[in-house]
Amino acid sequence: MSRLVIDGSRRMKGEVSVQGSKNSVLPILAATLLSGEESILYNCPDLSDVRGTINILRYLGCRVEFAGNTLICDSRPLHENSIPNSLMREMRSSIIFLGALIARTGSASMCFPGGCEIGPRPIDIHLKALEKLGVIIEDDHGVFKCYAPDGLNGAKIALSFPSVGATENVMICACAADGTTIITNAAREPEICDLADYLNSCGANISGAGEGTIVIEGVQKLKGVCHTVIPDRIAAATLLSGCAATGGRITLKQLIPSHMGAVLSIFEECGCDVLIKGSSITLDSPFIMKSPKIVRTMPYPGFPTDAQAPIMAMIAKSKGTTLFIENIFENRYLHVGGLLRMGANIKVEGKVAVLQGVESLHGTDVEAMDLRGAAALVVAGLGADGRTNVDGLKYLDRGYENIEAVLSKLGADVKRI
Ligand code: UD1
């Protein structure tokens, strides 16, 4: 078992490029099934969730090669349409294979997906939406057997919540439907746009991605293409949080700064200087940060739930009080226990957390319980006095590629042992 050993309070400086987006590449990998041809994805991050998705693709029969952040997936030899429980339970995004498999083969069978325990995470919105397209879903003791006896037909689908995964599932599946599908109350995250860009370059006809209404005209055939995955806005937010926790100054390159509006305004409220130049962001942070008044997680373009934990760790050491309201997931304060052990002052009541900034944090042994919570403990360790040992790296490795190397390049003292 490995752990990260962080000797904190080293002022971060320097510049790095940011990895490709985990939340973009996972649905795009599922969507590679549609063409039945070869797709090449550039800027693909090497993460355990990506490796888990490759295992699913290979199980289904696809040929996948992955080296140096380039992934080639040939979905021609696909011969399976059911996914074993052990592969499904690796991660939440495996549910996107439901829409992709039905689109390609007309049927699919799989169990409930896994993922971090940050709330109940039901899939009712996915299932209801796919049913509207003509999919019959039978729940056979926890295994969903899905088929489309009369083919897939375009439909008007009003999502009860702008679920990212459900929007992706419908977009993928509707490409193979007859006629027009209109999704209202669709998720507007940049990763939705990246998936639409990939599918459109394959020959799909999707408009409105990034807006609340997405229109998909079904097409007969898609083709394999080359696509570059967008940069990871959450990995970027995590690195900036780490930098600010140390009073540092770093530049992140190869980003799309407009994807980070709500996050960057929190950094500014904390007293950081944020300089955007083309595709790079330079963050210059003060020695003592001001606490932002309120951090309220919302669907995009609001403040992302995935950045809540690292930002909380960053301002654990600050001057003032911050109110956090977590509106997306029910159990997303799993990092608070670790932060308290390091000397933070945080009280949690349901979806609200009240943070009273402290003068310093101290290093100790902490254990991650979920992906972004793991990132938060690393951020806290970077800003803490003394040594922090972070266990539970299986969570961190789901979303961050070689984080110790990236942080070391930025002047932090971080080792994996
Ligand atoms: C995606 C991201 C995740 C991010 C989240 C919200 C990926 C791989 N993961 O997750 O990092 O934190 O968006 O931005 O892209 N819900 C239901 N029923 C459903 C689906 C969702 O009740 O059928 C609820 C969820 O429990 C949650 C909320 O809707 O409370 C948002 O979930 P959703 O947007 O679907 O998140 P994911 O796609 O799972």
Side-chain angles (χ1 to χ4, degrees), residues 163-313:
S163 155
V164 175
T167 304
E168 292 164 346
N169 235 333
V170 176
M171 274 167 62
I172 291 173
C173 196
C175 286
D178 270 348
T180 309
T181 298
I182 302 175
I183 313 174
T184 52
N185 200 23
R188 298 167 59 192
E189 270 69 1
E191 295 76 24
I192 301 285
C193 300
D194 203 22
L195 175 62
D197 287 347
Y198 166 75
L199 287 168
N200 281 339
S201 55
C202 292
N205 185 353
I206 301 172
S207 54
E211 293 161 30
T213 300
I214 300 178
V215 180
I216 305 128
E217 302 286 351
V219 293
Q220 288 296 321
K221 174 86 185 93
L222 295 183
K223 60 181 190 312
V225 292
C226 298
H227 178 81
T228 301
V229 176
I230 59 169
D232 195 313
R233 62 196 168 103
I234 305 301
T238 304
L239 294 175
L240 295 178
S241 304
C243 164
T246 70
R249 183 183 199 279
I250 63 168
T251 298
L252 301 182
K253 296 181 297 182
Q254 288 172 28
L255 271 176
I256 304 178
S258 61
H259 290 170
M260 300 189 61
V263 170
L264 294 180
S265 65
I266 293 289
F267 282 96
E268 283 172 340
E269 203 182 332
C270 292
C272 300
D273 281 334
V274 178
L275 178 72
I276 296 174
K277 209 168 152 196
S279 62
S280 76
I281 296 177
T282 299
L283 185 88
D284 200 350
S285 45
F287 186 63
I288 299 173
M289 261 186 300
K290 289 185 275 188
S291 314
K293 286 203 168 40
I294 186 158
V295 177
R296 189 189 280 113
T297 67
M298 302 286 276
Y300 189 85
F303 185 91
T305 175
D306 289 350
Q308 176 257 105
I311 290 282
M312 183 184 282

Side-chain angles (χ1 to χ4, degrees), residues 37-197:
E37 293 185 7
E38 186 177 276
S39 275
I40 303 180
L41 303 180
Y42 302 114
N43 201 30
C44 179
D46 191 350
L47 308 169
S48 61
D49 271 12
V50 170
R51 299 271 171 187
T53 306
I54 292 173
N55 289 340
I56 294 179
L57 289 166
R58 287 189 176 138
Y59 178 86
L60 296 172
C62 303
R63 269 193 300 272
V64 185
E65 288 168 40
F66 184 29
N69 297 117
T70 297
L71 187 148
I72 304 173
C73 178
D74 182 356
S75 62
R76 236 170 311 223
L78 181 105
H79 54 67
E80 266 294 332
N81 66 356
S82 78
I83 302 177
N85 297 2
S86 56
L87 294 178
M88 279 302 287
R89 296 238 160 88
E90 289 281 305
M91 74 217 119
R92 166 83 179 170
S93 66
S94 51
I95 189 65
I96 310 297
F97 278 97
L98 189 52
L101 274 171
I102 295 169
R104 171 79 187 269
T105 70
S107 61
S109 131
M110 60 188 62
C111 70
F112 208 82
C116 291
E117 299 294 332
I118 53 179
R121 307 191 86 174
I123 54 168
D124 55 315
I125 304 175
H126 298 246
L127 301 184
K128 264 189 214 144
L130 293 174
E131 279 171 344
K132 289 244 171 176
L133 294 176
V135 180
I136 305 286
I137 300 168
E138 287 167 4
D139 182 353
D140 182 6
H141 299 92
V143 174
F144 299 105
K145 300 208 158 133
C146 309
Y147 51 100
D150 302 320
L152 295 166
N153 290 297
K156 287 192 175 151
I157 299 174
L159 300 182
S160 56
F161 182 87
S163 155
V164 175
T167 304
E168 292 164 346
N169 235 333
V170 176
M171 274 167 62
I172 291 173
C173 196
C175 286
D178 270 348
T180 309
T181 298
I182 302 175
I183 313 174
T184 52
N185 200 23
R188 298 167 59 192
E189 270 69 1
E191 295 76 24
I192 301 285
C193 300
D194 203 22
L195 175 62
D197 287 347

